[in-house]
């Protein structure tokens, strides 16, 4: 199966981080989230300057609601590259999911200040506002995301924010 193929790819290209990350994503999709995260944690420890693997670890943990693991990976990325907005964006999104709306929003806005075209951060900001019932803020953030990237998911979240804000008839008109 896929796990065997990924393992063979790693044998053929030892040290290739991409295949290790893809294998972890496959494991998580198959339900073995703990093993997936553990494999990425171990790989993140190999190269003390690498940020690719810890970002992937943060993202995978976020996707699977392992928010403590996500925040720990974000802290690792930030320690390795304090200038990148990525750990603030992912960490902010994780904090909003964990119920810390204001702390998470502050981190998301900090990420956006560092990279004003960060569509993912705008999208997650819109989702956080929508979950909190702040529909006008959700519409503005979702519109920014949809305006920055032509992406069906960003457009869907804009429509969702408009509908939740009572603008269902106006959605995308």
């Amino acid at each position: 199966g896929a796990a065997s193929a990924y393992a063979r790819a790693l044998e053929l290209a030892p040290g290739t981080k991409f295949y290790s990350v893809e294998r972890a994503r496959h494991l998580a999709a198959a339900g073995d989230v703990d093993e997936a995260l553990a494999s990425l944690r171990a790989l993140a420890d190999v190269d003390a300057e690498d940020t690719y693997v810890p970002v992937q670890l943060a993202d995978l943990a976020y996707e699977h609601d392992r928010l403590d693991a996500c925040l720990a990976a974000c802290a690792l990325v930030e320690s390795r590259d304090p200038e990148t907005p990525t750990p603030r964006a992912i960490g902010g999104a994780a904090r909003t999911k964990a119920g810390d709306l204001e702390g998470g929003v502050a981190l998301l806005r900090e990420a956006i200040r560092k990279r004003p075209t960060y569509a993912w951060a705008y999208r997650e900001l819109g989702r956080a506002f929508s979950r909190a019932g702040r529909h006008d803020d959700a519409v503005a953030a979702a519109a920014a995301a949809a305006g920055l990237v032509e992406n069906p998911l960003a457009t869907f979240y804009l429509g969702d924010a408009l509908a939740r804000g009572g603008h269902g008839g106006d959605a995308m008109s």
Side-chain angles (χ1 to χ4, degrees):
S4 297
Y6 285 132
R8 181 66 182 139
L10 289 169
E11 289 173 13
L12 294 171
T16 303
K17 296 171 188 166
F18 172 79
Y19 296 118
S20 297
V21 169
E22 289 306 303
R23 178 181 174 275
R25 289 194 176 281
H26 173 74
L27 286 169
D32 203 345
V33 177
D34 292 333
E35 183 178 340
L37 296 179
S39 71
L40 290 181
R41 261 193 237 83
L43 186 58
D45 291 340
V46 171
D47 181 352
E49 295 185 22
D50 173 57
T51 58
Y52 171 72
V53 172
V55 165
Q56 299 305 311
L57 172 59
D59 184 56
L60 189 62
Y62 175 72
E63 288 174 12
H64 291 277
D65 293 323
R66 305 298 176 85
L67 303 179
D68 289 339
C70 174
L71 293 170
C74 287
L76 181 60
V77 174
E78 192 158 1
S79 74
R80 292 179 179 182
D81 183 0
E83 298 306 313
T84 183
T86 304
R88 289 169 189 83
I90 298 173
R95 286 179 66 175
T96 66
K97 259 188 169 181
D100 178 10
L101 179 67
E102 295 310 315
V105 164
L107 286 173
L108 284 161
R109 285 188 170 146
E110 187 178 334
I112 291 166
R113 274 193 296 281
K114 285 181 163 275
R115 186 184 303 152
T117 58
Y118 204 157
W120 188 92
Y122 278 109
R123 186 189 82 198
E124 292 303 311
L125 184 61
R127 292 179 70 198
F129 284 141
S130 186
R131 283 191 302 267
R134 291 174 54 180
H135 302 298
D136 290 340
D137 293 326
V139 168
L148 287 168
V149 62
E150 193 164 331
N151 173 300
L153 190 57
T155 304
F156 172 84
Y157 285 131
L158 173 57
D160 187 58
L162 286 164
R164 289 174 186 250
H167 305 285
D170 300 335
M172 303 305 292
S173 60

